[in-house]
Amino acid sequence: MGDFNCRPDGLGCKLLKALSGMQDTYSVVHGEENDIIGTTSDRPDNVYSARHVDYEFPNGQRIDQIWFSGNLKPKECRIRPWGHEVKPNSNIPYSDHEPVQAIFECTNEPFKKPDVSQEEIESLGAEVTQIFKKGIDDLNKYQIYAVIMLGILCAVLYVDVCFVELPFLLEYLIATLVIALLVFYIFQLMFTVPSEVNKCKGAIATVATWPSNPQILHHSVGDPN
């Protein structure tokens, strides 16, 4: 439970539902079509909300959620209006989010997990793969930028040492700064960028296994249902 910073129809929540078997309590109790009345953040009636004329979600967003699985049956889930309450001697609300309250019943049978088709998992996997591929593309672009910066810094250092007559202290400071930046970009090119690229490639390889193992992200699987 908590602030997921993600709407129930967002990719993060879709992955959580599809790959872990967990469910969003509010959607189970009220139906997914009632998200508009269950908004918890960016509400127009909360002074903390940054509002503008063409805001994509004029009624706010439901990004605070309670997810559940196992031998629980949700009986009630509602958005409490505490966020509207103001601090004593002020007109400022306690929070920019509305709290979520849920009541569950413990049962002998596990609550039915959501039906997720292999096609849906493959579709979600394709979305995630595109995100990581974009990350690799961005890292490759950064490599080009880093190489260009290395060339510029080497030129600046060469000119500073060989051609420019400056006070010793100023020349020392410039040289020190340039060398520090050179070390930074070399480290990025040799270690950071390759490491991040490998992480992205590893994630893409993991995503490829989802259709055959839809519980891949749920590391504590104990419920065969």
Side-chain angles (χ1 to χ4, degrees), residues 91-127:
N91 62 345
I92 301 176
Y94 282 106
S95 174
D96 59 334
H97 290 241
E98 306 297 333
V100 184
Q101 181 185 55
I103 298 176
F104 294 92
E105 174 186 350
C106 294
T107 64
N108 294 325
E109 296 293 331
F111 195 80
K112 184 179 181 299
K113 289 185 176 181
D115 295 324
V116 182
S117 66
Q118 182 171 333
E119 290 75 16
E120 184 177 351
I121 292 177
E122 290 175 349
S123 176
L124 291 171
E127 286 189 63

Side-chain angles (χ1 to χ4, degrees), residues 1-13:
M1 67 175 67
D3 178 2
F4 283 71
N5 278 326
C6 180
R7 290 167 48 85
D9 57 356
L11 179 59
C13 288

Side-chain angles (χ1 to χ4, degrees), residues 48-66:
Y48 283 118
S49 300
R51 315 304 302 177
H52 49 81
V53 176
D54 58 347
Y55 187 60
E56 185 178 358
F57 307 105
N59 295 297
Q61 306 183 72
R62 189 166 69 81
I63 61 175
D64 302 87
Q65 302 145 22
I66 299 175

